[in-house]
Amino acid sequence: MPGAAVTPRMAPEEVRARVEAAHGLTDPAQKLCFYDRWARDYDQLQARGFLQLHGVDGSPEMLKQAQARGLYQKLSLCTLGQEPLPSPEGTFDVVLIVGALSHGQVPCTVIPELLRVTKPGGLLCLTTRTNPSNLAYKEELEASLDQLEQAGAWERLAVQPVDSWELATSELEVASGTRAQDGFISGIIYLYRKQMQGVGGRPQPSADF
């Protein structure tokens, strides 16, 4: 699940300050409104048979917000890139990370850990920003993705650029072709399938966000 890079068990006021700083917001409600919109997409996942949704975030406050949605069967406190995910190897059919893989938030080194908890044959959906301030991170991320593909750990299924990805924090960051008053930056979605290894039978769908 998306969130700012924060350390575990921070005081609520510290969490709010880090969320505001990471996203250039003066009103945390602006950030939380995006979670409300994403929650509707999670309903669609459940309609497709993904009935066990597990969420992970480094912020206790954001976990409270996620709990209030009533969509998750399990929520865990974990700072991605600093500690391992609280799940055994090959747990999930789908692993989705949105809004966290970017400069100043979750490092690219977390990718093997996301792959570890995915079942053989499972899907991984990753996103990052493509605005100017994040291009160096994007290049590093794609190098990591390509390295894992060349090693046979997974196969790339799709790459989808998105012009209006999220709100910009500066006019200089607004996506090309987007009206300045819209204030959005661009992003990109990567979809991979983990290599099949010794999978028997079809497991019950589950997902990690």
Side-chain angles (χ1 to χ4, degrees), residues 121-193:
L123 300 176
L124 296 95
C125 182
L126 320 169
T127 74
T128 195
R129 305 193 309 267
T130 56
N131 56 314
S133 65
N134 198 56
L135 291 180
Y137 181 97
K138 176 179 175 288
E139 182 177 351
E140 181 183 355
L141 174 63
E142 291 184 338
S144 299
L145 302 181
D146 291 345
Q147 184 177 14
L148 285 168
E149 186 172 20
Q150 292 169 11
W154 59 13
E155 63 173 323
R156 186 175 67 182
L157 301 180
V159 176
Q160 178 64 56
V162 180
D163 287 336
S164 298
W165 179 247
E166 65 179 35
L167 287 173
T169 58
S170 165
E171 291 184 2
L172 298 177
E173 298 284 359
V174 174
S176 175
T178 303
R179 294 181 302 169
Q181 59 266 36
D182 290 340
F184 280 88
I185 62 175
S186 56
I188 190 166
I189 303 169
Y190 309 91
L191 182 63
Y192 285 85
R193 177 183 288 120

